[in-house]
Amino acid sequence: MSRTEVPPGAAKAVRVAAGDLIRVIDVDGGQVGDVFAFRDSGGAELTEHHSAAHTRAGVDRLFPAVGEAFLTDLRRPILTLVEDTSPGEHDMLIPACDPARYKALGVPDHRSCAANLREALAAEGLSFTGPTPQPINVFMRIPVGEGGRLNWLTANSRPGDAVTLRAELDCVVVVSACPQDLVRISDAGLSPLAIETVHNGGTRS
C-alpha cells in the first residue's frame, strides 16, 4: 500500500492498474475533494476520462451507490465505488472551480481545482488538452431541493472518513483538496486529503 498526502488547496496524481484500490481520505473532516480519472494508455497525452453526465445516465441516479461504476466519456467503467465510510453525501452536478469562477468572485489569482488538475498531471509528465472534466466531488453536499433548486451546504464528513474506489482500467487519478474558501462548502477552512493505493498486482497495459 502507498499513501500520498494532498495538501490543503492543492492536488496530487497517482497512476494505478486495473484492480487496484484507491481510497480518498478526509484527514481532518469537512473537506471537499475533486476527483478526476483518466484512462492511462501509457502515453503522455490523456484523452478518455470519467464523465459525470455519462455516469448519471448509466446508473440512473445523481451519484453511484456502493457497487456501481463511474463511466468514461466512451461509456466504459473506469472506477467502481466499493466502500464509503462517510455520511454518503457526494456530488456530480457542480463543475470544478476554475479561474473564471474566482474572477467573478473578485479574486482572480485564487487557486482552483481546474488549475490544480493541470499542475498535478504536469508533475507526472502528463497532459490533458480538453475542457476540464466535471469531477467526482467527494464529501460535497449539494442536495436538490424544491423546484430543482440546488442547496450549497457545508461538508459533514468526519476525520478519517473515506471513499474507496476500484480501478476498472489502468488509469490516472487526480485528487484536489478543493481550495474554495469563499463559498463555505468545506468546514472550518481548508484541510488536507490523503490518497491510499492498494496495489493488487495488476499488470498495466
Side-chain angles (χ1 to χ4, degrees), residues 1 34 37 44 78 82 102 139-141 150 163 181 185 191 197:
M1 185 180 73
D34 285 35
I78 187 169
V82 297
Y102 291 111
F139 315 125
M140 187 173 183
R141 300 172 67 205
L150 300 179
V163 294
D181 54 2
I185 56 171
S191 58
T197 304

Side-chain angles (χ1 to χ4, degrees), residues 48 53-54 57-58 71-77:
E48 185 179 359
H54 291 87
L71 306 182
T72 73
D73 55 323
L74 299 182
R75 299 184 188 271
R76 299 200 295 169

Side-chain angles (χ1 to χ4, degrees), residues 24 26 83-90 138-140 156-158 160-163:
V24 182
D26 189 352
E83 186 180 25
D84 185 359
T85 64
S86 79
E89 295 186 82
H90 311 287
V138 294
F139 315 125
M140 187 173 183
N156 63 356
S157 46
R158 302 149 302 201
D161 279 352
V163 294

Side-chain angles (χ1 to χ4, degrees), residues 13-165:
V14 296
R15 302 179 84 155
V16 296
D20 288 351
L21 298 178
I22 307 101
R23 184 172 295 113
V24 182
I25 304 166
D26 189 352
V27 177
D28 295 334
Q31 174 62 46
V32 167
D34 285 35
V35 179
F36 305 88
F38 299 84
R39 168 75 167 108
D40 187 358
S41 60
E45 176 63 29
L46 303 173
T47 53
E48 185 179 359
H49 57 84
H50 160 259
S51 167
H54 291 87
T55 299
R56 291 194 300 267
V59 300
D60 293 326
R61 65 175 83 239
L62 293 178
F63 197 89
V66 170
E68 295 180 335
F70 299 89
L71 306 182
T72 73
D73 55 323
L74 299 182
R75 299 184 188 271
R76 299 200 295 169
I78 187 169
L79 300 171
T80 295
L81 180 61
V82 297
E83 186 180 25
D84 185 359
T85 64
S86 79
E89 295 186 82
H90 311 287
D91 167 74
M92 285 197 315
L93 292 175
I94 304 302
C97 59
D98 54 25
R101 171 70 160 149
Y102 291 111
K103 183 178 180 180
L105 291 172
V107 284
D109 296 325
H110 200 284
R111 292 192 66 87
S112 71
C113 286
N116 284 351
L117 167 63
R118 312 289 172 165
E119 290 177 8
L121 292 177
E124 298 297 321
L126 301 168
S127 64
F128 177 71
T129 58
T132 301
Q134 191 169 1
I136 302 164
N137 294 312
V138 294
F139 315 125
M140 187 173 183
R141 300 172 67 205
I142 307 289
V144 180
E146 186 176 353
R149 188 168 186 85
L150 300 179
N151 297 291
W152 294 68
L153 305 181
T154 303
N156 63 356
S157 46
R158 302 149 302 201
D161 279 352
V163 294
T164 303
L165 309 163

Side-chain angles (χ1 to χ4, degrees), residues 161-177:
D161 279 352
V163 294
T164 303
L165 309 163
R166 183 179 65 242
E168 303 300 343
L169 302 169
D170 293 351
C171 58
V172 179
V173 175
V174 178
V175 177
S176 175

